[in-house]
Amino acid sequence: MKTQVAIIGAGPSGLLLGQLLHNAGIDNVIIERQSPDYVLGRIRAGVLEQGMVELLRQAGVGQRMDREGLVHGGFELALDGRQVHIDLNTLTGGKTVMVYGQTEVTRDLMAARREAGAQTIYQAGDVVPHGMKSAETFVTFEKDGQAWRLDCDYIAGCDGFHGVARQSIPADCLKVFERVYPFGWLGILADTPPVHEELVYARHERGFALCSMRSATRTRYYLQVPTSDHVDNWSDQRFWDELKLRLPQDLANKLITGPSIEKSIAPLRSFVVEPMQYGRLFLVGDAAHIVPPTGAKGLNLAASDVSTLFNILLKVYREDRLDLLEKYSEICLRRVWKAERFSWWMTSMLHRFDDQDAFDQRIVESELEYFIGSEAGRKTIAENYVGLPYETIE
Ligand code: APR
Ligand code: PHB
């Protein structure tokens, strides 16, 4: 088999890159370890920055998002019972975010790819990239008991944090930056109406809580729990009771509860690998970086990497701009690190850290007070939350 760009992983990164390349006439094949249903079964985040919304439209997959997605012009901070509104729209001169689940984005991208007739090989085993530093670049894999070789010009490693792409780069060529937080998020999905029309990020002495949603009838709620905790310890009743304790009274009174349709714990981690490329292999999205979910940046960073790689490849194939290839990592990392900083900051401000002493706690409280009490501070929060601009590739 032969293609121009071999894409490893059919998550949002791989599918979006594949769609943009296909539309531009650049041939690509996606190789994915799991089945489409398995990929769609993963419940992930649901807040899209304007840059990602525009990129999805550009890829031709924005119709259902524009019909069904919820445009949010702000969000709520609940600080030990007090509510502070962050008016994204006003603070950023008219910007908003789109609440539309990653599962739906993935579903739309899969449908578009099927319609376009572009090739995706699902349930591929033992995927290995080869020859990244040579002119003979290829990916080998196994499908239905048979060994395959896919020759290509470039490889996009869109295979997430646990994927093979990053692991196939010699360790001494990479620098890893990492912070593991001593807690996770216990999330539930329920067919109940949202407690509030906007997202609510709650800081509370019992721990952080988040009220999010997927639609007017489906909600996603999270609680900070210790890393050692287990979902089996959390009946639906216990979850709802604890959530009420962490929300301001009037929201707790309004909370409508119901049976959960999904419940899981995700650890919180900050992770960046530098550089995000090795010869003809480019790391995209979670394969190169992880953020704690507090700023809703994970999926959006994947989209900005995709945009960067797509625009570089476009100029490589159309204008022979091979010089741009080596710039991929530095362009991505400038934006990645800003989102890492914001996600770390939101996490630090809103979670309970058991190892903080009284002094640390006062510093955090006063930092938050300063940010929310100052127009400049609220603007800083808002411009990061709606998403920093994408760099133009020239
Ligand atoms: N071979 C082939 N495919 C693989 C391999 C492998 N060795 N390892 C992983 N994959 C596939 C996974 O099954 C998955 O479908 O790669 C895909 C990676 O998808 P994601 O983990 O969703 O990563 P990405 O596409 O970068 O999505 C961005 O940002 O913060 C997050 O929630 C957000 O998941 C989202 C991510
Ligand atoms: C979600 O809806 O899953 C969600 C929303 C905002 C976040 C994180 C997760 O910051």
Side-chain angles (χ1 to χ4, degrees), residues 8-14 31-34 38-39 42 44-45 102 124 127 158-164 284-287 290-291 297-300 302:
I8 307 177
S13 298
I31 310 167
E32 162 63 50
R33 181 165 56 181
Q34 306 288 354
Y38 184 96
V39 173
R42 294 189 290 236
R44 298 272 180 83
Q102 179 174 325
V127 180
C158 302
D159 50 351
F161 184 61
H162 301 285
V164 65
V284 182
D286 276 19
I290 296 289
V291 287
K297 291 285 162 251
L299 178 58
N300 291 300

Side-chain angles (χ1 to χ4, degrees), residues 95-167:
K95 294 198 178 137
T96 55
V97 292
M98 175 81 82
V99 173
Y100 190 64
Q102 179 174 325
T103 313
E104 304 314 315
V105 172
T106 309
R107 203 187 303 281
D108 295 346
L109 284 164
M110 280 179 174
R113 191 165 178 88
R114 219 177 304 121
E115 217 163 283
Q119 193 175 9
T120 312
I121 298 158
Y122 283 99
Q123 293 175 300
D126 203 12
V127 180
V128 184
H130 303 268
M132 291 89 88
K133 286 277 196 185
S134 80
E136 192 185 339
T137 306
F138 60 101
V139 178
T140 54
F141 60 95
E142 177 269 323
K143 171 77 184 166
D144 298 329
Q146 219 182 311
W148 292 87
R149 169 177 165 142
L150 173 63
D151 289 290
C152 56
D153 302 332
Y154 304 103
I155 304 173
C158 302
D159 50 351
F161 184 61
H162 301 285
V164 65
R166 190 182 69 251
Q167 285 165 31

